[in-house]
Amino acid sequence: MSQPFVAILMGSDSDLPKVEAAIDVLKKLNVHCEVRVHSAHRTPDATHSYVKDADARGCAAFICCAGMAAHLAGVVASLTIKPVIGVPIDAGPLDGMDALLSTAQMPGGIPVATVAIGKAGAKNAGYLACQIIALGDADLADRLKADRRANAENVLARNAALQEKLGA
Ligand code: RP5
């Protein structure tokens, strides 16, 4: 069985500045990922072929990032029973509300775990994918716990710095 990996798909390379937040998390936690531009609307055949192939090669979860009428996550979810995480991208005049609804409002039986719009959503998509893989990977679970501790320590340190600045 090949090494589990996360497939990150985006509808356009114009999404990359937001999608990088997911890539950064996976790199930090040492989880292998493939990153591809595949559009549900502009390249439907290539999207189908890639998802089927990635699924067969051991993809553990798909992260699908798209803006506007964002059907990428839903289409990918229709092709696999691996977990699909949808990231609505804030592209276009509706600032991602269009993508949020297009990604989240899936018909029953074809779930897409939809995270927040934009960069924060992409970051959480990276963490969620790692948490899914960590169900069967104790070392990754330890790295996730250490990351949470580091986050908490960082917030506490910033609070201490603020108190000092305020003379409290
Ligand atoms: C969506 O349309 C893409 O995911 C992107 O967010 C948006 C605009 O794409 P471009 O016109 O910038 O290629 O499919």
Side-chain angles (χ1 to χ4, degrees), residues 7-8 14 26 29 48 58-59 79 100 106 109-110 135 149:
I8 301 181
S14 65
L26 293 166
L29 291 164
H48 281 225
C59 178
L79 297 168
L100 174 63
M106 287 296 292
I110 313 290
L135 290 170
R149 279 196 299 275

Side-chain angles (χ1 to χ4, degrees), residues 66-70 88-105 117-118:
M68 303 182 81
I89 298 294
D90 40 336
L94 301 186
D95 289 334
M97 283 306 292
D98 42 4
L100 174 63
L101 297 178
S102 312
T103 303
Q105 290 298 104
I117 296 169

Side-chain angles (χ1 to χ4, degrees), residues 11-12 14-15 42 66-68 91:
S12 168
S14 65
D15 298 323
R42 292 166 172 161
M68 303 182 81

Side-chain angles (χ1 to χ4, degrees), residues 28-29 124 127-128 131 140-156:
K28 181 165 75 162
L29 291 164
N124 273 345
Y127 277 108
L128 188 51
Q131 288 179 207
L140 178 56
D142 286 344
R143 294 200 292 281
L144 277 161
K145 286 177 196 163
D147 185 83
R148 285 254 175 130
R149 279 196 299 275
N151 267 342
E153 278 159 19
N154 181 263
V155 173
L156 292 172

Side-chain angles (χ1 to χ4, degrees), residues 1-152:
M1 180 79 185
S2 48
Q3 180 82 356
F5 64 95
V6 177
I8 301 181
L9 279 64
M10 67 196 97
S12 168
D13 60 348
S14 65
D15 298 323
L16 185 59
K18 312 279 163 56
V19 178
E20 273 168 348
I23 300 170
D24 290 348
V25 169
L26 293 166
K27 278 191 178 154
K28 181 165 75 162
L29 291 164
N30 202 20
V31 171
H32 179 59
C33 71
E34 295 182 356
V35 183
R36 300 284 188 274
V37 176
H38 279 306
S39 164
H41 304 125
R42 292 166 172 161
T43 62
D45 293 342
T47 302
H48 281 225
S49 306
Y50 175 74
V51 172
K52 288 291 181 192
D53 181 60
D55 197 344
R57 287 186 292 109
C59 178
F62 291 86
I63 294 176
C64 300
C65 312
M68 303 182 81
H71 297 125
L72 182 60
V75 165
V76 172
S78 75
L79 297 168
T80 179
I81 57 162
K82 302 284 175 58
V84 175
I85 304 164
V87 184
I89 298 294
D90 40 336
L94 301 186
D95 289 334
M97 283 306 292
D98 42 4
L100 174 63
L101 297 178
S102 312
T103 303
Q105 290 298 104
M106 287 296 292
I110 313 290
V112 168
T114 305
V115 293
I117 296 169
K119 233 175 205 176
K123 184 174 183 176
N124 273 345
Y127 277 108
L128 188 51
C130 290
Q131 288 179 207
I132 290 165
I133 296 175
L135 290 170
D137 182 337
D139 290 342
L140 178 56
D142 286 344
R143 294 200 292 281
L144 277 161
K145 286 177 196 163
D147 185 83
R148 285 254 175 130
R149 279 196 299 275
N151 267 342

